[in-house]
Amino acid sequence: MKTGLSSIGRAFAYGECSGCIGKHLFAKHLAALGLEVEERAYSINVLEFERLTFEFDQHTDEMATIEGTAATLSVLRANAHRLHEVLTRGEVRHWIEVTDAVQNRLEILHYNWPDEG
């Protein structure tokens, strides 16, 4: 079975994290954990990945959604696993789900999230 997107169509990573301590401090925390990040008005971009962001609602800095995609499924899975490892090491409560284009779950990673997303 091929692992590229051509065999399954597009793939996406979705998730959430909590305890983000505010966008600015969370960006500093992610950088201290070894991620190259760029802080924007309502998001934090993880620059070492093809496309992965933490999106913040303008009404709360406690929760952030995780959104990402990549050129191939193998790259997306590698990005998701790297992010999961970093967030787990930083004890950030989170879940990350890798799905196909119609949102069939291909994989889920989580740390200290009781319902697994």
Side-chain angles (χ1 to χ4, degrees), residues 31-117:
L33 290 169
L35 291 177
E36 185 180 350
V37 297
E38 173 187 54
E39 189 177 348
R40 299 201 145 190
Y42 296 107
S43 66
I44 298 169
N45 293 344
V46 182
L47 300 176
E48 69 186 72
F49 301 143
E50 285 185 37
R51 185 190 174 290
L52 192 132
T53 62
F54 291 89
E55 301 286 334
F56 288 82
D57 183 296
Q58 62 184 354
H59 302 292
T60 180
D61 279 342
E62 166 64 16
M63 298 284 291
T65 57
I66 300 167
E67 298 179 11
T69 192
T72 66
L73 178 58
S74 62
V75 168
L76 182 63
R77 281 188 159 149
N79 292 349
H81 279 269
R82 165 92 169 111
L83 182 61
H84 169 64
E85 181 271 321
V86 168
L87 294 175
T88 299
R89 187 167 23 91
E91 298 182 351
V92 176
R93 185 175 180 255
H94 70 276
W95 64 271
I96 304 166
E97 179 178 79
V98 177
T99 69
D100 64 14
V102 292
Q103 298 188 1
N104 292 311
R105 181 184 289 175
L106 303 175
E107 183 169 14
I108 188 155
L109 307 164
H110 64 93
Y111 171 77
N112 200 20
W113 202 281
D115 60 2
E116 297 182 1

